């Protein structure tokens, strides 16, 4: 941390320029601390944002009374839950944790500041004056996150209240927040997952995203420029990937490879891809799959492939992809969906998407449609395989093989075992397999709880999820389950940041209920 502050650019904690002399003194102090740290207890040397990692389970944490009461109230409803005792949720109260840094500094100083800078022209127009003032008020709350008490969303206008979907979404947030508002919890003392999702909902409130009285800000996406930049930089990586996807065999191995692409994206080692893949037998793909499994801490690829083979034998099933990010990650989701339809595993793919902008890069229906339209219009001489893929995707939309479904649940901070009845019943009745993509969705599968890292995924997620489920996740947060003990020990010995830097991943399969 001291070395970070000694950076020649700025001190992020103080948010001000440092003098050369003060930086030099801080740098010398950091070096002194580093040289003496070998004689200190081991916990002083760990990464700032990680729990002690010499064990295979998360350290125990205190649970807030409000969170405990909320858990008890939900359990009384008698809905399916994990079969193991549910541990406490992550809070944001521990300085040095990723949760604390996110809610006390990163959202304000990095995310909202960058969003303002990307949209400075818009924010400084008369039409955005109220949005800018409200945004600044929200940022002031976050600068005082430790003392600012949570509040409910503002009441809906009479016109908004007539919108059944809007009224339902407002009530869901009210019910979720009520235990923490009544307990006078702050941005830091309420569960991190609740507050991190809520800050984006509050941002939508601040800019007037749902307010039709201001045409300039109504349904205006403040993250659209960032997402467009991600899309525009995806073509080269996608061209290489789409060539491979087109050659995937209609076999179990093809499913495994398509899922590996969706998990790892451009981290996949394609240098060992067979030169004549379209005419190769299955064995030539084993080296690619083995390379893709190198950094997996749990590997259910074979179970996933067997399930998909069963669907293929039944002339295809309905498969949902619970989408995470736009940009190249969304392209890999589309590639997975492409192969599932083309190979006969799926007769319909349903993309489950966010209902309003959140987490900057998370994908809405409009982002998915823009991606398809953009790829279908690419220059064939430069990106022949990517363009051809875009045209296939467009045909899937046109013939209803692919459908898009936005739902407010995907932008809320509730555990997935708290899924609303309507959505849960739909998945249970109509979905043969759900792919859950990304780290934020994975955190919600686990309720953002401190599970033992080796707790079986089936007992944590498969025991309550309303349909068969496959989680594809690269690790970017301090929670996890279902990981092999030996692999956890290997990862922690190789990389101090193994839980948060995306180097390692998991492929989990659960049967559902």
């Amino acid at each position: 941390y001291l070395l970070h502050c000694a950076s020649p650019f700025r001190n992020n904690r103080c948010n001000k320029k440092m003098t050369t002399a003060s930086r030099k003194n801080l740098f010398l102090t950091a070096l002194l601390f580093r040289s003496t740290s070998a004689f200190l207890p081991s916990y002083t040397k760990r990464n700032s944002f990680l729990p002690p990692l010499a064990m295979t389970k998360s350290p125990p944490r205190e649970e807030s009374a409000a969170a405990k009461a909320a858990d008890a109230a939900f359990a009384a409803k008698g809905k399916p839950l994990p079969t193991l005792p549910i541990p406490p949720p992550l809070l944001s109260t521990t300085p040095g944790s990723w949760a604390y840094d996110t809610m006390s500094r990163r959202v304000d100083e990095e995310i909202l500041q960058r969003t303002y800078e990307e949209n400075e022209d818009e924010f400084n127009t008369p039409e955005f004056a109220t949005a800018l003032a409200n945004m600044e008020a929200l940022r002031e709350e976050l600068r005082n996150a430790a003392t600012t008490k949570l509040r409910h969303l503002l009441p809906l206008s009479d016109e908004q209240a007539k919108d059944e979907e809007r009224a339902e979404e407002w009530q869901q947030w009210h019910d979720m927040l009520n235990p923490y508002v009544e307990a006078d919890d702050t941005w830091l003392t309420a569960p991190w997952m609740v507050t991190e999702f809520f800050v984006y909902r509050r941002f939508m409130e601040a800019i007037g995203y749902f307010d039709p009285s201001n045409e300039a800000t109504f349904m205006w996406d403040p993250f659209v420029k960032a997402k467009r930049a991600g899309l525009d930089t995806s073509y080269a990586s996608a061209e290489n990937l789409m060539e491979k996807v087109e050659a995937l065999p209609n076999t179990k191995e093809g499913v495994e490879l398509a899922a590996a692409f969706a998990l790892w994206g451009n981290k996949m080692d394609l240098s060992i891809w067979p030169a004549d893949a379209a005419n190769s037998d299955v064995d030539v793909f084993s080296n690619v799959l083995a390379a893709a499994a190198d950094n997996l801490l749990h590997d259910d690829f074979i179970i996933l492939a067997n399930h998909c083979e069963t669907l293929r034998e039944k002339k295809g099933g309905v498969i949902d992809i619970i989408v995470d990010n736009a940009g190249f990650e969304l392209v890999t989701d589309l590639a997975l969906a492409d192969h599932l339809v083309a190979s006969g595993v799926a007769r319909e793919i349903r993309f489950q998407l966010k209902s309003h902008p959140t987490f900057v890069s998370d994908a809405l229906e409009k982002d998915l449609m823009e991606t398809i339209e953009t790829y279908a219009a690419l220059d064939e001489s430069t990106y022949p395989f990517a363009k051809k893929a875009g045209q296939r995707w467009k045909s899937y939309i046109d013939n209803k093989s692919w459908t898009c479904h936005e739902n407010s649940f995907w932008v809320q901070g509730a555990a997935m075992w708290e899924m609303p009845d309507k959505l849960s019943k739909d998945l249970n009745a109509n979905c043969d397999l759900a792919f859950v993509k990304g780290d934020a969705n994975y955190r919600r599968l686990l309720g953002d709880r401190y599970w033992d890292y080796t707790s079986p995924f089936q007992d944590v997620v498969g025991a309550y999820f309303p349909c068969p489920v496959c989680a594809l996740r690269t690790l970017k947060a301090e929670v996890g389950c279902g990981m092999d003990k030996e692999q956890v020990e290997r990862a922690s010995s190789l990389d101090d940041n193994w839980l948060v830097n995306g180097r390692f991943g998991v492929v989990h399969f659960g049967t559902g209920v």
Side-chain angles (χ1 to χ4, degrees):
Y1 168 70
L2 293 172
L3 287 169
H4 167 72
C5 289
S7 160
F9 299 107
R10 67 179 186 132
N11 175 358
N12 283 330
R13 294 285 179 180
C14 305
N15 197 26
K16 64 182 182 180
K17 299 285 184 179
M18 298 185 71
T19 66
T20 301
S22 63
R23 190 180 303 116
K24 180 179 179 181
N25 289 337
L26 188 58
F27 186 78
L28 291 173
T29 303
L31 290 179
L32 178 62
F33 179 83
R34 173 178 283 182
S35 66
T36 58
S37 63
F39 302 102
L40 299 175
S42 61
Y43 59 79
T44 64
K45 296 190 292 181
R46 66 184 174 88
N47 184 278
S48 299
F49 298 129
L50 297 177
L53 300 177
M55 70 288 283
T56 59
K57 61 182 179 180
S58 303
R61 291 291 192 272
E62 294 299 322
E63 183 172 13
S64 73
K68 194 170 185 178
D71 282 350
F74 184 81
K77 297 179 180 180
K79 295 183 178 181
L81 290 167
T83 58
L84 300 175
I86 298 176
L90 276 70
L91 306 180
S92 306
T93 52
T94 305
S97 69
W98 184 243
Y100 178 89
D101 186 60
T102 295
M103 298 310 302
S104 65
R105 183 197 64 83
R106 195 168 63 87
V107 172
D108 170 47
E109 290 187 16
E110 295 182 11
I111 296 171
L112 293 180
Q113 177 61 29
R114 184 173 66 245
T115 301
Y116 167 76
E117 291 170 357
E118 289 173 345
N119 299 282
E120 191 168 0
D121 290 343
E122 290 88 345
F123 276 120
N124 286 294
T125 61
E127 294 82 2
F128 278 75
T130 300
L132 181 59
N134 291 341
M135 179 183 181
E136 180 57 30
L138 173 60
R139 295 185 66 181
E140 188 63 25
E141 286 188 33
L142 296 171
R143 291 167 192 146
N144 298 280
T147 56
T148 302
K149 296 177 182 178
L150 291 178
R151 67 160 174 84
H152 286 296
L153 293 171
L154 297 176
L156 297 175
S157 67
D158 291 343
E159 184 175 353
Q160 289 173 318
K162 295 176 184 177
D163 184 333
E164 184 177 334
E165 182 180 345
R166 187 84 292 108
E168 181 182 44
E169 184 258 359
W170 186 93
Q171 189 62 50
Q172 288 168 343
W173 269 115
H174 183 279
D175 295 345
M176 190 190 319
L177 289 168
N178 207 49
Y180 311 111
V181 172
E182 290 190 347
D184 288 333
D185 271 320
T186 69
W187 283 106
L188 301 188
T189 59
W192 178 32
M193 189 167 66
V194 173
T195 58
E196 190 174 20
F197 275 87
F198 187 51
V199 77
Y200 290 95
R201 181 58 180 86
R202 282 284 309 277
F203 187 35
M204 293 300 101
E205 177 186 86
I207 64 174
Y209 183 81
F210 294 113
D211 183 4
S213 67
N214 186 339
E215 292 184 4
T217 60
F218 180 54
M219 296 294 172
W220 175 71
D221 186 347
F223 307 131
V224 69
K225 294 177 184 177
K227 287 187 281 190
R228 182 69 211 195
L231 175 59
D232 289 341
T233 57
S234 69
Y235 310 143
S237 295
E239 176 65 16
N240 188 26
L241 176 64
M242 294 312 153
E243 181 182 2
K244 310 301 185 286
V245 169
E246 199 170 294
L248 289 177
N250 296 337
T251 62
K252 294 179 183 180
E253 289 74 19
V255 169
E256 292 182 54
L257 284 163
F261 291 150
L263 172 65
W264 294 118
N266 57 8
K267 293 181 182 178
M268 282 278 288
D269 181 6
L270 300 180
S271 63
I272 55 177
W273 192 266
D276 188 19
N279 299 311
S280 299
D281 59 42
V282 168
D283 288 343
V284 301
F285 294 101
S286 59
N287 289 338
V288 184
L289 286 169
D294 276 350
N295 283 340
L296 284 181
L297 305 185
H298 186 81
D299 181 356
D300 278 340
F301 270 138
I302 293 177
I303 299 175
L304 168 66
N306 287 337
H307 182 78
C308 288
E309 190 63 25
T310 300
L311 296 181
R312 193 191 337 257
E313 292 169 356
K314 295 179 179 179
K315 307 303 181 184
V318 176
I319 296 180
D320 285 21
I321 299 179
I322 302 173
V323 175
D324 190 27
N325 293 321
F328 183 69
E329 183 177 329
L330 177 58
V331 171
T332 66
D333 296 342
L334 299 177
L336 170 62
D338 189 353
H339 178 72
L340 293 174
V341 170
S343 65
V345 172
R347 67 176 186 274
E348 180 184 356
I349 297 290
R350 307 191 305 180
F351 294 99
Q352 299 286 350
L353 297 146
K354 307 300 193 291
S355 62
H356 67 67
T358 193
F359 281 96
V360 183
S361 59
D362 282 21
L364 286 67
E365 180 177 355
K366 69 177 182 66
D367 301 315
L368 186 146
M369 294 305 299
E370 181 183 21
T371 300
I372 292 174
E373 295 290 344
T374 299
Y375 269 68
L378 287 174
D379 181 357
E380 186 172 6
S381 64
T382 308
Y383 303 111
F385 291 99
K387 179 181 179 68
K388 193 186 301 184
Q391 292 172 333
R392 284 197 306 274
W393 303 341
K394 200 168 183 299
S395 72
Y396 294 146
I397 292 290
D398 292 341
N399 66 25
K400 309 298 185 191
S401 295
W402 287 6
T403 56
C404 296
H405 305 265
E406 291 188 344
N407 194 293
S408 294
F409 180 69
W410 307 128
V411 287
Q412 294 174 355
M416 284 205 188
W417 57 74
E418 298 178 24
M419 188 180 294
D421 288 343
K422 184 178 179 180
L423 180 58
S424 178
K425 289 177 180 177
D426 173 62
L427 291 177
N428 183 259
N430 301 314
C431 183
D432 297 301
L433 172 64
F435 283 97
V436 178
K437 284 295 307 298
D439 202 72
N441 285 330
Y442 185 90
R443 286 170 55 197
R444 294 187 65 194
L445 280 176
L446 273 58
D448 214 30
R449 308 294 176 121
Y450 283 109
W451 298 97
D452 186 306
Y453 295 143
T454 62
S455 295
F457 183 81
Q458 177 62 29
D459 294 340
V460 177
V461 177
Y464 78 80
F465 205 79
C467 65
V469 56
C470 176
L472 302 175
R473 181 223 186 183
T474 54
L475 277 61
K476 296 178 183 176
E478 301 155 335
V479 294
C481 77
M483 293 183 273
D484 304 333
K485 180 179 178 181
E486 297 77 11
Q487 294 286 9
V488 169
E489 292 173 346
R490 181 178 72 89
S492 61
S493 68
L494 290 173
D495 191 336
D496 288 342
N497 298 321
W498 69 279
L499 272 174
V500 298
N501 63 11
R503 174 179 175 180
F504 297 94
V506 291
V507 178
H508 287 313
F509 188 90
T511 60
V513 294

